[in-house]
Amino acid sequence: MTETRVAIIGAGPIGLELAAALKRSGIAYLQFDAGQIGQTITQFAPQTKFFSSTDRISISGIPLQSVDQSKATREEYLMYLRTVALQLDLRVRTYEPVVAIDRRSDPGAFKLFTRANGAEYVYRCNKLVIATGGTAFPRKLGAPGEDLPHVTHELGDVHQYFRQRLVVVGGKNSAIEAALRCHNAGANVTIVYRRSQLSPQSVKYWLLPEMDTLLKSGKIKSHFGSIVQQITPEAVHLLRCNAELEPISTDSATVAADRVLLMVGYTADMRLCKMAGVRLNGPQQVPTFDPITMESNVPGLYLAGTVTGGTQDRYTVFIENGHIHTDRIVAALSHTKPPADPQPYVRPES
């Protein structure tokens, strides 16, 4: 059994930033991820650009540069994370998921049970940080046909949609960006959204004007105020819904579709939090924690990054405002004065 003072579960940007801060403070740590570092980002479509500017998503005081001096792409940010890990010699046990947490058999400590390449391992730590993010699983519609082969929750390479009749379900940032990229790649795009119109609060200001122009010209078709009733191999069957988003069974429509892209958000994987005894609140499963120290209701267990928001319907926690979590945790572990709250952004970009 390997022992360490601190264990970090999750090696996304905030998890890596915490590992760097612990190393600089001389605090022994081990870090685990079920996949590669930045695993969630690897699942972005090729050449996806971050909404946040480079200075807001850089970590550990290491500048992030992009090729065209604009927002970083998926590829640029993954390269940046690799560079940070190399430069700071951060040690991450990748592809080694934590499958169980035991906090009862050894008072004042946590035992972590992991698996890698068919083998099982046990680790003991005094303090535990969960930084597993908030977008683990695609949100399901619950409609018949959602699991058909031509239906997906991930954009992937837009080339696959060339000259395809594509139905994009959703009306927030990811859905609108996907619809625009696929249209520009030669797809015949139809948007289906349950609300009556797109909202400036849900769609970035640089995406909305282009989408509005394409909708008005009819180059992208739309069914607003509609929900998916059923997906078949040839079409998507819709029901109109009212202002309360309740379906109107007498008012329906059918849209022919070769491909269906469900961009309706993600849910967080809170199983490790629950396993460790963290109290989860409400349908979004927001974990209980002290915002000054980031310590949860479980003594010695801390939370960092977007996991602190549980499953976010309207995102308020993201990379750009999660950096303070690392400073708060290091201060708590070092028994030093907690850092002052950062000046809030007038307009978060994420």
Side-chain angles (χ1 to χ4, degrees), residues 9 21 24 55 91 97-98 107 127 148 214 233 271 313 338 343:
I9 305 176
R24 286 168 172 166
D55 61 311
R91 302 294 184 176
V98 175
K127 307 292 182 181
L148 287 171
L214 291 170
R271 289 177 295 181
D313 286 332
Q343 189 69 25

Side-chain angles (χ1 to χ4, degrees), residues 82-230:
R82 296 195 301 270
T83 300
V84 170
L86 286 169
Q87 180 171 332
L88 302 181
D89 193 26
L90 303 179
R91 302 294 184 176
V92 187
R93 297 176 186 269
T94 54
Y95 303 105
E96 187 172 344
V98 175
V99 296
I101 300 172
D102 177 12
R103 65 184 180 93
R104 291 185 173 88
S105 63
D106 189 353
F110 300 88
K111 282 185 180 177
L112 307 182
F113 299 85
T114 71
R115 290 184 186 145
N117 299 330
E120 298 183 351
Y121 302 92
V122 182
Y123 302 88
R124 181 182 184 275
C125 62
N126 301 110
K127 307 292 182 181
L128 176 62
V129 182
I130 296 180
T132 50
T135 55
F137 308 117
R139 193 189 300 272
K140 297 289 188 177
L141 289 179
E146 186 172 5
D147 297 324
L148 287 171
H150 69 302
V151 182
T152 181
H153 294 264
E154 304 290 346
L155 174 60
D157 193 323
V158 299
H159 179 72
Q160 65 187 303
Y161 304 105
F162 175 65
R163 289 186 174 173
Q164 295 286 290
R165 295 172 297 179
L166 172 65
V167 173
V168 178
V169 180
K172 295 185 179 180
N173 283 316
S174 296
I176 299 308
E177 183 179 30
L180 289 172
R181 292 186 66 181
C182 291
H183 166 77
N184 291 330
N188 181 357
V189 178
T190 300
I191 291 178
V192 173
Y193 188 39
R194 59 181 182 165
R195 301 193 182 276
S196 60
Q197 61 183 3
L198 301 177
S199 168
Q201 283 71 46
S202 300
V203 181
K204 296 302 179 186
Y205 61 87
W206 60 86
L207 298 176
L208 194 55
E210 182 180 1
M211 178 54 69
D212 282 341
T213 299
L214 291 170
L215 289 171
K216 289 175 183 176
S217 68
K219 292 181 179 179
I220 289 182
K221 301 176 181 63
S222 64
H223 286 268
F224 291 110
S226 299
I227 59 174
V228 175
Q229 180 186 28
Q230 182 181 9

